[in-house]
Each structure stands twice: as structure tokens, then as C-alpha cells.
Amino acid sequence: MTNAEAEVRALVAEYPDATLVELSELLLQKTGNWVSRTALCRYLQKLGLNRKKKHGTVAKLEQKECKS
């Protein structure tokens, strides 16, 4: 396991609900290395660490337009 892999795995374990942007910022604070959201997403996929979206609100259903 590389040092970067250990750092990323530790951050994901510590902040399981963090978004990719938040993880990128945490990685910057912890290591001093900035990683783009896209690169971090690809690296997490490579490590087999799936990310989930936060669902804080209910999605609006499309309303069909009714002509009277």
C-alpha cells in the first residue's frame, strides 16, 4: 500500500459522507497535495471505494401540464 493510498483510505474512513470536493480539500490540508475532483474520483474507483451522493432533499417529481 502506498502512502497516498493509506491517506485516502484514512480520509474516506474518517469522513464517510464527504463529497469529492470535501475529500480533495481534506487531502490538501493533510498532505499539502491538491488533487482535482475528477482525479480523486478515478483514484477512489481504482481502490474500489464507491462514493454516494448526499440526499438531503426529496427530488421534485415532474408535473404534467394539463390543458383545460
Side-chain angles (χ1 to χ4, degrees):
M1 182 181 308
T2 64
N3 191 31
E5 181 179 344
E7 294 287 343
V8 171
R9 285 186 184 276
L11 284 175
V12 171
E14 190 174 347
Y15 302 98
D17 290 333
T19 63
L20 290 170
V21 172
E22 290 168 341
L23 283 174
S24 182
E25 290 173 356
L26 289 167
L27 195 61
L28 175 63
Q29 291 173 2
K30 193 167 187 177
T31 66
N33 295 322
W34 182 83
V35 179
S36 71
R37 179 178 54 92
T38 306
L40 185 57
C41 181
R42 279 187 254 135
Y43 191 63
L44 290 173
Q45 288 173 345
K46 181 180 175 183
L47 296 177
L49 300 172
N50 294 331
R51 304 302 305 145
K52 64 179 182 179
K53 290 184 178 180
K54 289 184 182 180
H55 295 289
T57 60
V58 177
K60 291 183 181 179
L61 297 175
E62 286 188 30
Q63 295 179 357
K64 293 182 180 178
E65 189 175 314
C66 181
K67 294 184 180 180
S68 301

